[in-house]
Amino acid sequence: MQIYVCLKHVPDTAANIKVVEPAGFDESVKFVVNPYDEYGLEEALQIVAKAGGEIVAVTVGKESAVSSLRTALAVGATRGILVKTDAQFLDSAVTARALKAAIAQDGTPDLIFTGKQSVDSEGMQTPYRLAQELDMPVVTEVVDVELGGGQAKVERETGGGMREVMEVSLPCVLGATKGLNEPRYPKLPDILKAKKKEVKQVDMADLGLSDDSGNTGLVELTQIPERSGATMLEGSPREASEKLVAILKEEKAI
Amino acid sequence: MARTGILLETDNGEVKAANYGVITAARETGNNEVVGFLMDGSAEAGKAAVQEYGVTSVIEIKAEAGDFKGSPELQANALADALKHYEISALLGLSSTQGRDLMARVAAAMDVPLVLDCVGVTVRDQTVTKSHFSGKTIAKIELEGDVFLCGIRPNAIEPVASAAEATTDVYTASAGDSGRLKVVETKGATSGEIELTEANVIITGGRPIASAENFDILKSCAQELGAAVGASRAAVDAGYAPHAMQVGQTGKTVSPKLYIGCGLSGSVQHFAGMKTSKIIVAINTDKDAPIFTKCDYGILGDLFDVVPALTEVLKEQG
Ligand SMILES: Cc1cc2nc3c(=O)[nH]c(=O)nc-3n(C[C@H](O)[C@H](O)[C@H](O)COP(=O)(O)OP(=O)(O)OC[C@H]3O[C@@H](n4cnc5c(N)ncnc54)[C@H](O)[C@@H]3O)c2cc1C
Ligand SMILES: Nc1ncnc2c1ncn2[C@@H]1O[C@H](COP(=O)(O)O)[C@@H](O)[C@H]1O
């Protein structure tokens, strides 16, 4: 199996994001592998452990994104590819074209994993556009994968506790989400060993692409003010509840 | 006059109320002709509800051949054909699980821009606003081109009625699919419960709820409130609730009018999924719990005392 795993290098969700006007942010925060992409990577590791093969981690990002590739190599990915760009917020169609070009240049995928969404720009569409570029079928929000007979049987959550079971022929793009598996974490010796693994770097320009060739543009980023603290409703449970109900009616929330 | 399309979401053939906010956004100052597209259910039946909000025509989409319900690709290709046929310049829909999937397929197939999970949209300027960094910031995004798609977070836009007289039509697409992807089964029972992401009111239980059975306390209260019931990851991981109920960064993102958190510490990851709620109420036994610093109203007390009391009061006051 030749599996490609698309990973985005994103600020840790616990990080305090400070906007730098008009549309940037203070990037000196901790960056990690996009949490949903970890589920894709873990699934790839489990598949390769059974069926054999190679896992190539691919990211489109700044030079610093190499650290996320190293994390993937430390848990067992074979090689890494960085497509270098200067932008953290790239148009999804451009990202998909960059991923496609990097993958096509590298090999022939049997399976491609992504996450269901990136937690910074929350685009929720890169896997669909990547699949279109590669002329492959795609399913996202995948919580179960079973391979066999040249196809994948996958399950996706559709809300309200319902699940859809789908059959999809290989090669395909699968967007992982929580529930698919429990991602492993790298151990120190493996982190050291991962430093020796191969990471290939390509420039966006060398793939014939430019950062600003997309159809969407982020023009402004605004901080959402934190709430400043609760108005406490005093008294017995009964009294506090009565106060709450009165307020909620007043505010037309109920 | 621009012609704006709405992807009308249905539940068992019925148009969901969650669409009305989307229609309101599409109508704008009344300058837009609003065309509703139905992938499931009849246009005649759907018309009555949506024309109250200003939809001027309702179109039922079908495919000439193939298993329409079982093929997400066929649905997307048929919808893409319909957008071209009716010369739609903007398609708005709900950023629900169904809506996201279909709109992303259409945008990819047509190679047109799409922004999902928007909290605001101005069709004539082709700009939208949406959360970045799990609700820590709001991004304003411009979309270029003759056609764009936009998925709107349920509840983000207040529905305002504005009656119109709608015509109906059936569009039968000649589109096909690749045959490489099919839905073979739908699992799980429709519980009749309100879908979390579409609920106006949500009441959530955290780790101290301590068992699956204890969620009944929240369910009774939810019944009085017309609310959906959510859970924190700690409660889900402990097996007290299914993952489908989880709110937060690795669960559902919700923006109800009212969010009542019972026994939640107020973690960043939980807030990532609900901080855009209009009013947040916290019930917690610890006066120093972080949640009290980032909600609107707080009740210091045991959820096992406060929630039943709240249910009582709601019941009495109807
Ligand atoms: C990558 C990542 C992703 C995550 N994603 C999510 C996510 O999607 N959703 C999510 O919720 N979490 C998520 N978490 C976990 C999150 O960090 C917290 O651990 C979790 O939200 C805590 O759940 P809790 O508030 O229910 O429990 P706790 O943190 O244990 O808090 C319980 C609170 O209840 C109070 N309490 C105790 N007894 C009572 C009582 N009888 N009545 C009233 N109050 C009482 C306590 O004072 C305390 O404040 C994620 C974490 C990571 C690292
Ligand atoms: N810059 C990127 N590099 C690698 N993979 C990416 C990148 N952006 C998005 N992806 C993949 O696409 C998924 C969905 O991203 P998005 O469409 O931005 O929400 C992510 O979970 C990643 O797997």
Side-chain angles (χ1 to χ4, degrees):
Chain A
M1 276 277 206
Q2 178 77 7
I3 307 182
Y4 289 82
V5 180
C6 302
L7 304 173
K8 192 174 182 187
H9 185 60
V10 297
D12 190 332
T13 52
N16 192 6
I17 300 295
K18 267 196 255 108
V19 170
V20 177
E21 285 179 8
F25 66 103
D26 180 351
E27 293 181 24
S28 63
V29 294
K30 185 182 168 205
F31 276 68
V32 295
V33 175
N34 185 45
Y36 296 106
D37 307 353
E38 289 182 343
Y39 300 113
L41 176 60
E42 176 63 35
E43 201 63 21
L45 290 167
Q46 293 183 14
I47 292 168
V48 164
K50 272 192 238 146
E54 189 184 49
I55 298 171
V56 186
V58 192
T59 192
V60 180
K62 298 185 178 181
E63 179 100 46
S64 54
V66 168
S67 74
S68 279
L69 291 177
R70 294 274 171 218
T71 307
L73 297 175
V75 292
T78 325
R79 296 184 287 120
I81 304 174
L82 166 71
V83 180
K84 247 198 302 188
T85 142
D86 294 324
Q88 178 70 24
F89 299 122
L90 212 53
D91 177 80
S92 305
V94 178
T95 307
R97 271 178 234 133
L99 289 169
K100 184 245 168 160
I103 293 170
Q105 200 179 55
D106 185 79
T108 311
D110 294 309
L111 194 53
I112 298 175
F113 280 107
T114 70
K116 71 146 185 165
Q117 80 179 63
S118 44
V119 297
D120 57 350
S121 56
E122 306 177 25
M124 310 172 179
Q125 55 188 280
T126 309
Y128 293 91
R129 296 194 187 270
L130 175 60
Q132 182 75 32
E133 291 287 336
L134 288 161
D135 189 23
M136 289 180 189
V138 54
V139 184
T140 73
E141 310 207 30
V142 168
V143 291
D144 192 55
V145 178
E146 230 177 274
L147 296 180
Q151 67 170 22
K153 196 168 184 181
V154 303
E155 287 187 16
R156 75 188 291 264
E157 281 188 350
T158 53
M162 306 279 287
R163 281 181 175 202
E164 264 173 4
V165 186
M166 296 179 154
E167 280 172 6
V168 49
S169 63
L170 300 188
C172 64
V173 178
L174 299 179
T177 191
K178 182 181 191 286
L180 182 58
N181 50 44
E182 276 308 319
R184 68 195 73 182
Y185 290 97
K187 299 186 192 78
L188 191 60
D190 297 327
I191 294 173
L192 298 176
K193 270 189 247 160
K195 294 206 166 121
K196 298 202 191 76
K197 290 189 179 175
E198 181 197 331
V199 172
K200 187 159 77 181
Q201 298 203 9
V202 242
D203 274 329
M204 283 281 275
D206 294 338
L207 297 172
L209 297 165
S210 76
D211 287 357
D212 54 8
S213 57
N215 280 329
T216 60
L218 175 69
V219 288
E220 196 180 87
L221 211 52
T222 333
Q223 204 104 28
I224 299 185
E226 291 285 343
R227 286 174 161 83
S228 57
T231 304
M232 299 301 291
L233 308 175
E234 315 284 342
S236 67
R238 169 90 203 178
E239 286 158 1
S241 297
E242 281 170 350
K243 284 180 192 166
L244 180 62
V245 171
I247 291 168
L248 295 177
K249 281 191 171 160
E250 171 86 27
E251 298 204 29
K252 297 199 165 55
I254 53 174
Chain B
M1 181 146 116
R3 198 179 285 163
T4 305
I6 306 280
L7 174 58
L8 293 169
E9 194 161 308
T10 53
D11 186 11
N12 284 320
E14 294 235 6
V15 176
K16 289 186 178 176
N19 292 297
Y20 302 153
V22 182
I23 302 171
T24 305
R27 218 171 59 211
E28 270 182 345
T29 46
N31 282 332
N32 295 338
E33 195 183 326
V34 183
V35 182
F37 292 102
L38 277 172
M39 307 303 291
D40 179 29
S42 91
E44 238 2 276
K47 177 179 111 165
V50 297
Q51 67 183 4
E52 294 307 312
Y53 290 85
V55 171
T56 43
S57 50
V58 182
I59 293 148
E60 195 178 318
I61 300 183
K62 292 195 156 97
E64 253 168 32
D67 174 15
F68 196 60
K69 271 214 165 88
S71 170
E73 287 183 353
L74 183 54
Q75 289 177 34
N77 294 341
L79 179 54
D81 279 0
L83 297 185
K84 285 175 216 151
H85 179 82
Y86 293 96
E87 295 173 349
I88 300 296
S89 50
L91 179 78
L92 273 52
L94 276 174
S95 202
S96 58
T97 325
Q98 285 177 44
R100 284 195 303 268
D101 187 61
L102 187 54
M103 283 188 275
R105 287 180 193 281
V106 171
M110 295 177 75
D111 193 19
V112 296
L114 159 74
V115 182
L116 287 169
D117 205 28
C118 297
V119 292
V121 54
T122 313
V123 177
R124 65 182 171 280
D125 299 342
Q126 303 203 177
T127 61
V128 296
T129 48
K130 71 163 286 161
S131 141
H132 264 32
F133 301 109
S134 333
K136 287 175 202 148
T137 64
I138 289 284
K140 184 173 170 193
I141 296 171
E142 271 173 10
L143 300 102
E144 286 158 29
D146 300 334
V147 181
F148 73 92
L149 275 70
C150 162
I152 297 176
R153 183 182 284 191
N155 285 326
I157 293 165
E158 191 74 34
V160 181
S162 168
E165 201 46 59
T167 58
T168 60
D169 199 1
V170 176
Y171 177 76
T172 309
S174 56
D177 64 4
S178 71
R180 296 178 300 196
L181 168 65
K182 56 175 186 285
V183 181
V184 291
E185 194 191 336
T186 311
K187 277 196 195 170
T190 15
S191 49
E193 281 167 23
I194 302 167
E195 165 62 22
L196 214 46
T197 51
E198 287 162 25
N200 274 316
V201 181
I202 294 174
I203 181 163
T204 294
R207 190 196 313 264
I209 199 87
S211 74
E213 293 72 45
N214 286 342
F215 264 100
D216 288 347
I217 299 168
L218 300 189
K219 284 183 192 151
S220 312
C221 191
Q223 212 151 32
E224 298 305 319
L225 287 163
V229 180
S232 73
R233 173 156 163 185
V236 171
D237 286 352
Y240 310 149
H243 177 245
M245 276 169 67
Q246 184 177 318
V247 173
Q249 183 208 308
T250 42
K252 300 264 158 65
T253 304
V254 299
S255 317
K257 278 194 191 137
L258 171 62
Y259 192 91
I260 306 179
C262 312
L264 299 177
S265 55
S267 70
V268 176
Q269 291 90 356
H270 190 82
F271 265 65
M274 43 59 82
K275 71 186 291 185
T276 51
S277 306
K278 294 213 175 64
I279 300 177
I280 301 174
V281 178
I283 300 166
N284 198 301
T285 43
D286 176 6
K287 70 170 179 18
D288 297 321
I291 196 164
F292 286 140
T293 66
K294 41 186 177 183
C295 70
D296 300 295
Y297 299 100
I299 297 177
L300 184 64
D302 191 321
L303 77 91
F304 294 101
D305 299 329
V306 179
V307 178
L310 179 60
T311 311
E312 277 284 315
V313 173
L314 287 164
K315 224 178 238 164
E316 289 165 19
Q317 303 196 2

